[in-house]
Amino acid sequence: MNADTTRTSLPAFVAEFELRIRELLRSDVEFIQLIEEDLVSAGGKRIRPRLAFLSSSALGGVPFEMELALAVELLHSATLLHDDLVDDAETRRGREAAYRKYGNAVSVLSGDYLLSRVLYLLARTGRIELVELFAEAARRLAEGEVLQFQVAAYQEYSEEQYYRIIEGKTAALMTAATEGAALLADAPRNIRAALRDFGYHYGMAFQMRDDYLDLMGDEKRLGKPVGGDVREGKVTLITYWLMQQHPQEVNEILLRRASAPGDVEKLRYLAESSGVATRVVAAIEERVGRAVSSLSPLADSGAKVALEELALAELQRLQ
């Protein structure tokens, strides 16, 4: 499959994915249907299904690639419903957060409904190894989210803790998308390792870029105010490195969760003037390089090129 063929087939796959996810989430319970329609119509980047499809295509096409793509996206969506409630988020993808519209219980239980559909999809594949892979990803995801709150509560800030958090929150699920394709293909061990490593490093780079943009991004492009992580008490790589260089100023801002006028602007200024912003960008570049290098054992194909391009896009992503 050459690069042009992959670019042609990807939109067709995404269109089929959107139809299948609507069918899968259909319910005669009105509140569930309303929440799921919000999730489906809001869309999002659909990065995880794309990873599943491109990984499958790089292996020549694998059985149950659609089930894999749907399962990884629905597990992601379930965690968003729960996370918005925990984070007291006002919006999700430009819309009012589900729990604010329908209440806490409905939002949580609708997330559980999504998880039931994930189990159904995994059962359809008949592959117990895939169930185990997703169970491990879900465990790491939950631990990453809880660890983020623990670190904030105890103020146990460190680079190691930051990387542990984003590994659980983001990289674990993206790894399930890429390694899952290799598992379904019964690929050789080195190919499975290559796709696993790509998903991991790409996932890390993706979250690092998200965290960078949360402070340094453009609000119009992001569609939300910058500084959300700081206001929620989260310390990301950019704020941690700022703490090392300007401990008094930055710690005061973090302790009051950027509640004073000009706090976020001050952090942005310090990040630019101290070179911390540039250092974070360099760290993202290094992680992207590791993701691209991971794919070297795979045969050349349009899908492999598309995976590389997906990773390289993190160097310039603005939203």
Side-chain angles (χ1 to χ4, degrees):
M1 183 179 290
N2 62 39
D4 290 338
T5 303
T6 300
R7 292 189 182 94
T8 302
S9 57
L10 181 57
F13 173 84
V14 173
E16 176 66 16
F17 174 89
E18 297 298 339
L19 290 174
R20 290 284 302 276
I21 199 171
R22 286 181 182 276
E23 294 173 0
L24 192 64
L25 297 182
R26 193 169 292 130
S27 170
D28 60 4
V29 177
E30 183 182 357
F31 275 16
I32 288 179
Q33 192 61 48
L34 288 171
I35 287 179
E36 310 323 344
E37 284 176 0
D38 275 356
L39 281 173
V40 170
S41 58
K45 301 182 181 75
R46 301 297 198 217
I47 293 295
R48 293 154 191 84
R50 289 170 185 264
L51 284 172
F53 170 72
L54 292 174
S55 298
S56 170
S57 298
L59 300 175
V62 307
F64 302 107
E65 69 176 16
M66 182 61 74
E67 282 77 5
L68 174 63
L70 288 164
V72 76
E73 183 70 0
L74 290 182
L75 180 52
H76 172 59
S77 295
T79 64
L80 295 184
L81 283 175
H82 294 163
D83 291 351
D84 285 347
L85 173 58
V86 169
D87 293 341
D88 198 25
E90 295 186 7
T91 61
R92 165 61 60 185
R93 295 170 179 163
R95 299 168 181 258
E96 186 178 12
Y99 79 95
R100 288 182 173 267
K101 293 171 70 174
Y102 307 107
N104 295 356
V106 171
S107 184
V108 170
L109 292 171
S110 294
D112 294 343
Y113 176 78
L114 293 184
L115 292 174
S116 77
R117 306 313 284 159
V118 173
L119 294 175
Y120 165 77
L121 290 162
L122 296 177
R124 276 182 57 84
T125 70
R127 298 295 298 268
I128 190 64
E129 277 188 282
L130 191 65
V131 177
E132 292 172 346
L133 184 69
F134 269 72
E136 177 64 12
R139 178 191 69 80
R140 292 169 63 191
L141 200 158
E143 284 187 344
E145 292 287 356
V146 174
L147 179 61
Q148 184 166 258
F149 281 94
Q150 176 181 305
V151 167
Y154 294 156
Q155 297 184 19
E156 298 172 328
Y157 307 123
S158 69
E159 281 186 56
E160 180 184 2
Q161 294 284 51
Y162 170 71
Y163 288 127
R164 281 188 63 196
I165 289 167
I166 68 170
E167 175 184 305
K169 284 179 52 177
T170 304
L173 199 48
M174 292 193 176
T175 302
T178 55
E179 186 180 5
L183 187 158
L184 289 169
D186 293 317
R189 185 177 300 177
N190 67 317
I191 299 299
R192 180 167 171 174
L195 283 170
R196 178 176 61 243
D197 290 348
F198 174 82
Y200 174 78
H201 292 301
Y202 171 71
M204 297 290 280
F206 183 92
Q207 189 59 55
M208 290 165 72
R209 186 70 180 180
D210 258 12
D211 294 343
Y212 171 84
L213 290 173
D214 183 81
L215 183 63
M216 305 304 296
D218 178 87
E219 291 188 351
K220 290 182 179 180
R221 287 184 178 274
L222 292 174
K224 63 179 181 179
V226 294
D229 286 338
V230 180
R231 294 188 184 96
E232 292 173 9
K234 299 173 183 175
V235 172
T236 60
L237 189 61
I238 193 166
T239 43
Y240 176 73
W241 281 350
L242 279 174
M243 289 169 64
Q244 308 310 300
Q245 291 202 19
H246 305 277
Q248 184 172 345
E249 289 175 283
V250 174
N251 276 311
E252 288 175 359
I253 293 174
L254 292 176
L255 284 172
R256 60 176 177 260
R257 298 198 171 190
S259 58
D263 276 349
V264 172
E265 291 75 12
K266 180 68 171 178
L267 290 176
R268 285 165 63 95
Y269 168 76
L270 289 174
E272 288 283 6
S273 61
S274 66
V276 164
T278 302
R279 284 178 61 201
V280 172
V281 170
I284 296 169
E285 290 175 348
E286 190 270 340
R287 189 67 67 166
V288 167
R290 291 168 73 176
V292 171
S293 296
S294 298
L295 295 175
S296 59
L298 272 65
D300 291 340
S301 68
K304 178 180 177 180
V305 170
L307 284 169
E308 292 170 344
E309 290 175 347
L310 198 61
L312 291 169
E314 291 307 307
L315 303 179
Q316 299 175 335
R317 179 164 64 89
L318 299 177
Q319 60 183 24

